[in-house]
Amino acid sequence: MKLFVTGASGWVGSAVVPDLLAAGHQVVGLARSDASAQKLTEAGAQVHRGDLTDLDSLRTGAKDADGVIHLAFHHDFNDFVNAGELDRQAITALGETLADSGRPLVVTSGTAGHAVGQVLTEDQPANPQSPRLSESAALAFADRGVRVSIVRLAPTVHGNGDYGFVPTLINVAREKGVAAYVGDGANRWSAVHRDDAAVLFRLAAESADPGTVVHAIGEEGVATREIAEAIGRNLGVPVTSVAPENAIDHFAWIGAFFALDIPASSAITRRRFGWHPTGIGLLEDLDQGHYFVRR
């Protein structure tokens, strides 16, 4: 297939693209900058210039493709409502372009916040109060002749080069001189290695039925206390608890998120696609040392 990939040069996209190419697919990646375009060209993909705000560019990319993988998202946690609306508009433009074609539209979502305190499964719907509208926007096209599927990512998609939530926690620990967790640290985050997650986007594009929800989860739940202990061990700083009411003061915006209990299962995904994660776990990855190299 010729697949149009948004977010193709991002953290997850830069693993999805080579996986697609290795499987024999053509890739056309959305690039908003010269640096992104060069990265895609070097990977062996074609380049389509534009960004999430350029809906005409998205429509053109989708029109000329056999399917779309939508990875791009504007991660602005200071204005997440508008980021969610931008994503909704982009997905709507892509879905309308693919309507009545039977072509795949694979849309990225996340597991966090949908079933706090429970193990989230693929058959549980997204939280309707979530400001991220990816799932509802995409699934609206499942009965409009689009082979829509949703890939929910774990809150930490880890690996060498990660610049997401875990590096943010490491930076806080460096600044504060302690590696902290919230409360007793028994709350859990699910995790997945980036290379394992990448495979699922390809499998969804190739074979997922309309309306399928896929969980990119390698580890169901890693205690946040253990994450803090790994950070402390590698930075050589003490590990301590922060009271829930002080989480925002200590961690800033990520404090409320690090306090959540958000485990998730991928049992249905593994059975449906024969997917078996092979990457190392989050704690082992932290102990490789690359997360603690100043860049």
Side-chain angles (χ1 to χ4, degrees):
M1 288 188 288
K2 179 181 179 181
L3 293 165
F4 177 48
V5 181
T6 73
S9 62
W11 168 238
V12 177
S14 58
V16 171
V17 168
D19 181 79
L20 291 171
L21 292 170
H25 298 294
Q26 288 181 264
V27 176
V28 179
L30 183 70
R32 64 179 179 178
S33 69
D34 291 342
S36 294
Q38 181 178 351
K39 187 175 181 179
L40 290 171
T41 299
E42 291 173 351
Q46 300 173 50
V47 174
H48 180 83
R49 295 303 292 259
D51 59 39
L52 287 184
T53 65
D54 186 351
L55 299 184
D56 285 339
S57 176
L58 296 179
R59 293 184 186 103
T60 301
K63 180 181 178 181
D64 295 335
D66 298 316
V68 176
I69 297 177
H70 177 55
L71 288 156
F73 189 83
H74 186 52
H75 288 94
D76 184 355
F77 292 97
N78 293 315
D79 193 2
F80 205 69
V81 171
N82 281 337
E85 174 59 20
L86 177 63
D87 189 48
R88 185 196 67 79
Q89 292 177 10
I91 291 169
T92 299
L94 295 168
E96 288 175 343
T97 304
L98 298 176
D100 301 318
S101 70
R103 287 178 285 175
L105 171 60
V106 184
V107 168
T108 309
S109 182
T111 60
H114 297 312
V116 175
Q118 305 175 36
V119 177
L120 181 71
T121 59
E122 294 90 333
D123 52 6
Q124 291 176 271
N127 182 350
Q129 297 181 332
S130 172
R132 183 161 186 172
L133 309 172
S134 312
E135 297 194 25
S136 59
L139 292 173
F141 292 95
D143 59 358
R144 292 184 57 187
V146 182
R147 189 159 58 80
V148 171
S149 58
I150 307 294
V151 176
R152 290 175 176 167
L153 292 172
T156 175
V157 181
H158 59 91
N160 194 350
D162 179 10
Y163 50 83
F165 293 145
V166 169
T168 299
L169 294 170
I170 291 170
N171 288 337
V172 172
R174 277 201 176 103
E175 176 188 342
K176 301 289 186 177
V178 295
Y181 53 88
V182 180
D184 64 3
N187 60 299
R188 300 153 292 173
W189 273 15
S190 60
V192 66
H193 194 280
R194 181 180 66 151
D195 293 342
D196 288 323
V199 172
L200 278 175
F201 284 92
R202 171 174 55 82
L203 294 175
E206 290 173 341
S207 63
D209 293 329
T212 298
V213 175
V214 178
H215 275 195
I217 304 295
E219 295 176 280
E220 186 173 288
V222 181
T224 58
R225 182 182 61 254
E226 293 184 291
I227 297 173
E229 288 170 348
I231 292 172
R233 182 167 60 248
N234 282 276
L235 286 180
V237 299
V239 180
T240 188
S241 170
V242 169
E245 61 269 23
N246 297 327
I248 298 298
D249 286 341
H250 182 88
F251 291 101
W253 64 267
I254 202 171
F257 194 60
F258 198 43
L260 294 176
D261 186 35
I262 43 178
S265 168
S266 59
I268 295 173
T269 295
R270 295 180 193 224
R271 290 196 301 268
R272 179 176 285 151
F273 294 100
W275 178 67
H276 301 289
T278 59
I280 60 175
L282 174 59
L283 300 179
E284 184 179 354
D285 207 355
L286 283 167
D287 283 337
Q288 299 298 301
H290 56 81
Y291 269 97
F292 303 92
V293 176
R294 291 185 182 272
R295 302 182 190 279

